[in-house]
Each structure stands twice: as C-alpha cells, then as structure tokens.
Amino acid sequence: MIFALEALPPEVIDHVVTLLNLRDIASLRLTGRNVKSKISLSQPHVAKFFARKDVELAAEPLENMALMTSQGHLGRLLQHCTITGVVENDTSSAPSIDEHVRLLTKAFTNLKRHSSNGMLASLFLRVTARSNDSNDGTPAPDTPPPHREIWATALRTFRVTVAALHASQLPIDEHLDIFGGVLGCSLAYDAILPLTRLFITTPVLSWLKKLSMSLSSPYIDSQEGTPDVAIDVPHRSSQRLDVVLALQDILELSSIMPNLESLDVHWYKVRNYRFTELVNAGTHLRSNGHANFAHLKACTLRGAYISESDLLDFVKIIHPAALTMTDIHLASGTYASMFEYLTSSDTSVRSYHLDDLHEGGRLVHFEVPGQSKFRYRGDTMGPSTLTRQAEEAKEMIRYRFALGRVLGSVERTRWLRRKALEFGPPRPGQGRSMLS
C-alpha cells in the first residue's frame, strides 16, 4: 500500500515545499525515498536557503565550508558568499594565513567543480570585532579593538581571499564588494595593485559587472604599543597623492574587468590633513592606453581628496552614463570644468547626483530651489545636493558659498558626526561601533 504522501504527483510536492521552512523540508525528505526523489534541490525555494552564506575567516568555519561545498552536499548551491575577518584583541596567537588560504581554496574549488554554473554570483569582504569573555565565561568589558588591528584584519582577509580565488580560479559573475558596506574599515589602496598581475591571464574577474570598495592610505604606527590613536599616520604625507595613486590602480583594473558596468569607490580618511598637504602632492593622474572601462554605466566616488584636473581626467577616462559624487574635496582648482563637462551635450553623462561637495574647504551650495541642511548667520543658502537626469542634466550648474558662519544646531552636529563615521578619521574608542 502506498502512503497518500508518496502518491502525490511531483508538481503537488513542489507546491507543498514552497510552504515549508528548511527544517521542515529536511524532515519531509526523510519520510521516504519516493518523496525524497520528488523534492528537487534545484527548486528555487530550496536553493534559496543555501544561496547565501557568511563565513568567518577561521579554521573551523572554513573546514565546514569546504565540507558542505563538496560533491553531494547542499553547500554547492552557494551563490552569494561573504568572507568575514574577525578582529581579535588578543594577537598573541595570530591565525595561520597559509591554513586559511588552503581551506578557502578547497571550498572555492568545490564550488567551481560542483555548483551548477561553476562560479559565484557575488563575493563580499567584511570585518567584525568579537566580544571578549572573561575567564569564568561571563562577558568581559567591551573594549574596542585598536584601529590598527581593524585595518590589519581587513588586509589579511583580502589577501587570503585573493589567494584562494587565484588558486581555485573560481570566477565571480556579478559583484565584488571589498569592505564597501562596512563603516570604519577600509583596505590600504596599494593592496589592490597586485590584482592586475594575478588575474591578467585568467577569467576569474573578466565577467564581473559591479565593483565596490572602500580604500584608505596605508598605516604605520607612530608610537608602537600606544593604543588606538597611534596608528593614524600614513606612510606618505599627502592624502591627495594617495587618492591619485589609488585611482591610477583602479584604472589598471580595466584590463582584468573588461565587462564592468558599475564602479563604487569610497575613500576613508585616516587622519586630519592641513590644507597645504592636500595641495602640494606633485603627482597627477595619467591615462594608459588600455585604461578604459568600455562597458561602464555608473560610477560613484565618495570621500575623495583630489584636484580639479585629476577629478576631471578620471571621469573622462571612465566616461560613465551616470555619476554620483559625495563628499568630494577639491584640494586645488574649482568645480567649473567638472560641471561644464557634466552639462556638455558632447559627453556620455546622462544623469548625476552631487552631494556635499567641497571646494577650497568650503561647502558647495547649488542655486536651485530647496534648503540647506543647516543654517548660516545672515545668509540663506540653497541645498548642497543636486540630482538631475535626462534633458535636465544638461542645464547649467550654478553654485555659491555661504558668506556667514554656520549656526550651531542639532542638524549640524548630526551631520558632522555622520560624516566622521562614514569618512573618518577614526576616534579613540570608536572601533567596535564603527564595524556595522
């Protein structure tokens, strides 16, 4: 006698499965071989439970990932992977980078061999801080990790992941996010340059459609052993120089990401700079023959310190159809040439979003209807945000600066705090709250 459940046609079983959670689906598969054979693991409702996974960069989670992605396991359905480096306050037992590379390579190799399309749809890199526990097992006082450890963890996470991608040759099809969604954590910009050399002859990144990343100047400690505030000295004197070198490295990536359609670059300021440091950089952006993202549709630049000429040259080289610029600080020059380019009928830009731009240390206010985000003494200003598209995008952009001083207000205080959290520099004791 056949049980009623086993007698149901596959399309009815499929519908029942859409109403169940993962635990119930597993229980249903255990009711009998006939029922199990009717529940396809490729069914979208089943696959979605295994499509996304956040894996800590530690031995045990990586071993589990390698096991679950092997032949016959449901981990091979993974499409959107997040690799999370863990900041440890106790650095006496540093994790083995070689072992992490070996385990992650094994998992990536399994995905290439056993997944349906032999690639990942997206890969995200993140950093988190682990809370301390006292010896008796109770939570210890929450001590934020030093910022140097956050940046060191980001660099280690990036290097392990890149090494595993190279060794496994696992392609990424849609989106690579390098700390783009984490506040208070960035990758030292000079770490991205080896990507071009590593992947120039491989297809690992050749199908990539979107690249998001948060970059900063590299760190060296000014006073070894002094917590938190001691890290904040880059190895070069000018942030503008580092931004230019970072953008130059990004242009080099076009040779290994020929199908890139969206580029999002966030710059994190690791310390405050005198304005003269920003002006006297001496190095300028240069165009290479191959540095041309032919399929780029959208570009976002956030937090960069740059000159008028370098900003214009970069946008001209990548020529996006949609451009977003947020918290861009001109170290020299004005926005005149940039705005002329945006509004020219001969350029590829068809829409743009401009927000909180700075010229010579002053906030740009656009002469359009609207209100500023905070008030000034004796002066009424327009908004510091401008969004235009289609035919409106080619209208002349007019702007001016406030003549009066900023009035203290709750809005102004919140604005400054939000900017510091998103773009830096880091403050002592802020480490754990920033990693979100």
Side-chain angles (χ1 to χ4, degrees):
M1 178 179 179
I2 301 178
F3 291 106
L5 188 61
E6 294 185 346
L8 293 175
E11 56 269 21
V12 176
I13 295 290
D14 283 346
H15 180 70
V16 170
V17 167
T18 64
L19 305 176
L20 304 179
N21 59 33
L22 180 60
R23 185 181 295 275
D24 291 338
I25 293 173
S27 298
L28 181 61
R29 283 169 54 86
L30 294 175
T31 59
R33 292 181 179 179
N34 191 23
V35 174
K36 181 179 179 180
S37 66
K38 296 178 181 180
I39 301 177
S40 172
L41 296 180
S42 61
Q43 182 182 352
H45 182 72
V46 178
K48 74 177 184 180
F49 293 109
F50 302 92
R52 298 179 182 275
K53 182 66 176 177
D54 188 335
V55 182
E56 281 193 4
L57 197 63
E60 184 176 350
L62 291 175
E63 287 175 352
N64 290 335
M65 182 183 181
L67 173 63
M68 293 305 296
T69 53
S70 59
Q71 180 67 37
H73 289 75
L74 295 177
R76 60 186 172 82
L77 300 175
L78 179 64
Q79 283 294 295
H80 307 279
C81 181
T82 299
I83 304 297
T84 301
V86 181
V87 182
E88 303 280 2
N89 280 338
D90 181 11
T91 59
S92 57
S93 56
S96 169
I97 290 182
D98 292 341
E99 180 64 6
H100 289 174
V101 170
R102 184 187 70 81
L103 291 171
L104 189 56
T105 298
K106 184 176 181 180
F108 282 173
T109 301
N110 287 340
L111 286 171
K112 185 178 181 182
R113 291 175 178 173
H114 306 310
S115 64
S116 60
N117 56 4
M119 61 177 62
L120 279 175
S122 63
L123 179 62
F124 299 83
L125 302 187
R126 297 291 184 261
V127 166
T128 189
R130 178 174 290 156
S131 299
N132 296 320
D133 290 326
S134 59
N135 293 332
D136 60 3
T138 60
D142 197 16
T143 304
H147 291 108
R148 62 175 172 270
E149 297 302 332
I150 295 175
W151 258 255
T153 301
L155 181 59
R156 182 170 63 249
T157 303
F158 175 76
R159 286 176 172 171
V160 169
T161 305
V162 168
L165 284 173
H166 183 258
S168 66
Q169 293 294 293
L170 175 68
I172 305 173
D173 182 45
E174 297 175 8
H175 188 191
L176 174 60
D177 185 313
I178 304 173
F179 310 111
V182 184
L183 291 178
C185 174
S186 297
L187 180 71
Y189 77 88
D190 53 358
I192 68 172
L193 187 57
L195 287 178
T196 303
R197 185 184 71 253
L198 281 173
F199 297 110
I200 189 63
T201 60
T202 71
V204 172
L205 300 175
S206 62
W207 289 290
L208 193 68
K209 303 298 188 300
K210 182 177 181 180
L211 175 64
S212 306
M213 52 186 166
S214 179
L215 304 174
S216 72
S217 299
Y219 279 142
I220 57 172
D221 287 359
S222 60
Q223 300 174 16
E224 184 65 30
T226 303
D228 252 1
V229 295
I231 65 155
D232 309 328
V233 181
H235 73 303
R236 295 185 177 93
S237 62
S238 172
Q239 185 165 204
R240 204 224 87 189
L241 170 61
D242 285 351
V243 170
V244 171
L245 294 175
L247 294 180
Q248 193 73 60
D249 291 348
I250 290 171
L251 292 179
E252 296 293 334
L253 295 178
S254 64
S255 61
I256 61 172
M257 302 176 184
N259 293 301
L260 199 70
E261 297 178 358
S262 177
L263 174 65
D264 186 342
V265 180
H266 168 272
W267 185 264
Y268 189 85
K269 180 173 61 174
V270 294
R271 71 177 176 97
N272 286 313
Y273 289 78
R274 295 187 301 274
F275 190 72
T276 53
E277 288 184 276
L278 300 176
V279 174
N280 301 322
T283 297
H284 295 278
L285 197 68
R286 64 185 185 278
S287 173
N288 296 325
H290 63 271
N292 183 5
F293 292 101
H295 300 282
L296 196 69
K297 298 177 181 178
C299 176
T300 298
L301 296 176
R302 296 177 288 149
Y305 289 73
I306 193 169
S307 70
E308 175 186 7
S309 60
D310 289 332
L311 177 62
L312 181 60
D313 288 345
F314 182 76
V315 174
K316 282 184 176 180
I317 292 171
I318 63 174
H319 55 274
L323 177 66
T324 297
M325 296 196 300
T326 301
D327 280 78
I328 303 299
H329 299 252
L330 284 191
S332 61
T334 72
Y335 280 103
S337 63
M338 187 71 240
F339 291 167
E340 181 180 354
Y341 175 82
L342 293 179
T343 57
S344 172
S345 59
D346 297 329
T347 62
S348 60
V349 179
R350 296 294 175 261
S351 65
Y352 48 81
H353 175 76
L354 313 175
D355 184 46
D356 292 345
L357 306 182
H358 299 260
E359 179 183 302
R362 298 176 295 176
L363 182 63
V364 168
H365 290 270
F366 299 100
E367 296 189 52
V368 295
Q371 297 180 338
S372 62
K373 296 174 181 176
F374 34 79
R375 295 174 297 164
Y376 293 87
R377 185 182 302 276
D379 203 353
T380 301
M381 303 300 300
S384 56
T385 301
L386 180 67
T387 302
R388 286 178 174 174
Q389 55 188 353
E391 294 181 359
E392 187 185 21
K394 298 306 176 180
E395 296 178 5
M396 181 179 292
I397 300 176
R398 294 183 173 88
Y399 68 99
R400 71 184 186 93
F401 309 106
L403 300 177
R405 296 181 60 184
V406 177
L407 293 175
S409 64
V410 174
E411 293 81 5
R412 169 71 172 178
T413 301
R414 289 175 178 171
W415 184 80
L416 290 172
R417 287 177 178 173
R418 187 175 68 253
K419 297 299 182 184
L421 186 62
E422 184 174 359
F423 299 106
R427 294 176 301 190
Q430 193 181 29
R432 192 181 305 278
S433 64
M434 296 165 66
L435 294 176
S436 60

